Amino acid sequence: MPRTLKIERKYRPGWEEIWFKIVGIISRRSVCLYYKVGAVIARDKQFLAMGYNGPPKGVAHCDKVGCAKIVKGVNRKHQGLCRGAHAELNAIANAASLGINISGADMYVTFRPCAICVKTIINSGIKRVFYLKEYKGDEVAWDYVKQSNLVLRKVVFENKKA
């Protein structure tokens, strides 16, 4: 007679919680010295694509060759110097490389997207972006959001005891 594993279910997680758990796991793949960011694209309770911040395929990783923003001990905070692509862009690129239509989908991401990511998200047809943490700076991203149909929402999970 086969043994049965009994698991007591205290609650059933909602889809937002599931997507953010995946975001948290995938963000740990990042080798960035500053941010660990993950992104998931989903539509109609179906996973479509994911990405994390890091260099393009075949390009040296920051943990191996050092951060391109740090030159001889001087920290230069210019986004263009970074050899990595943002998680949002990598998720969109991963979907495109597989021929996955993401129009009308939702994106779940660790940090509020920067202006470059917001522009790409708008052009990709993604309708809503949910994020966990504020990205300091790059407030011009809000200007693009206001001029588009993109919905951008911060998510806060409440700690409920079962």
Side-chain angles (χ1 to χ4, degrees):
M1 179 175 220
R3 297 181 71 186
T4 303
L5 176 63
K6 292 186 179 181
I7 299 173
E8 182 180 334
R9 183 188 292 185
K10 293 187 178 185
Y11 75 98
R12 184 175 184 206
W15 286 105
E16 293 78 15
E17 183 179 352
I18 291 169
W19 301 137
F20 277 117
K21 283 189 183 297
I22 296 171
V23 164
I25 292 167
I26 196 65
S27 70
R28 296 194 315 235
R29 293 278 306 151
S30 173
V31 295
C32 179
L33 303 175
Y34 291 97
Y35 293 101
K36 304 286 186 204
V37 184
V40 165
I41 301 172
R43 183 179 51 236
D44 300 328
K45 302 178 186 175
Q46 296 294 313
F47 176 90
L48 299 177
M50 67 182 173
Y52 57 91
N53 58 321
K57 295 173 184 173
V59 174
H61 286 225
C62 306
D63 63 339
K64 302 291 185 213
V65 296
C67 178
K69 291 193 259 185
I70 300 174
V71 179
K72 294 184 182 178
V74 177
N75 187 349
R76 302 184 302 176
K77 292 194 178 243
H78 187 272
Q79 184 176 337
L81 298 174
C82 181
R83 71 174 47 88
H86 289 187
E88 302 93 324
L89 301 181
N90 282 331
I92 291 168
N94 288 337
S97 71
L98 296 171
I100 297 171
N101 177 6
I102 58 173
S103 183
D106 295 332
M107 179 179 278
Y108 301 83
V109 65
T110 310
F111 287 91
R112 177 176 55 83
C114 72
I116 293 169
C117 289
V118 165
K119 290 187 283 186
T120 306
I121 289 166
I122 292 167
N123 283 340
S124 75
I126 289 173
K127 294 298 180 195
R128 300 184 303 178
V129 176
F130 302 96
Y131 64 95
L132 296 173
K133 301 174 188 173
E134 290 295 335
Y135 177 68
K136 301 208 182 335
D138 214 353
E139 298 304 318
V140 71
W142 287 109
D143 294 337
Y144 298 123
V145 171
K146 290 174 189 171
Q147 295 175 48
S148 71
N149 291 325
L150 180 66
V151 174
L152 189 59
R153 296 277 189 268
K154 183 174 183 177
V155 174
V156 177
F157 287 101
E158 295 179 4
N159 292 330
K160 291 184 179 179
K161 295 187 178 181

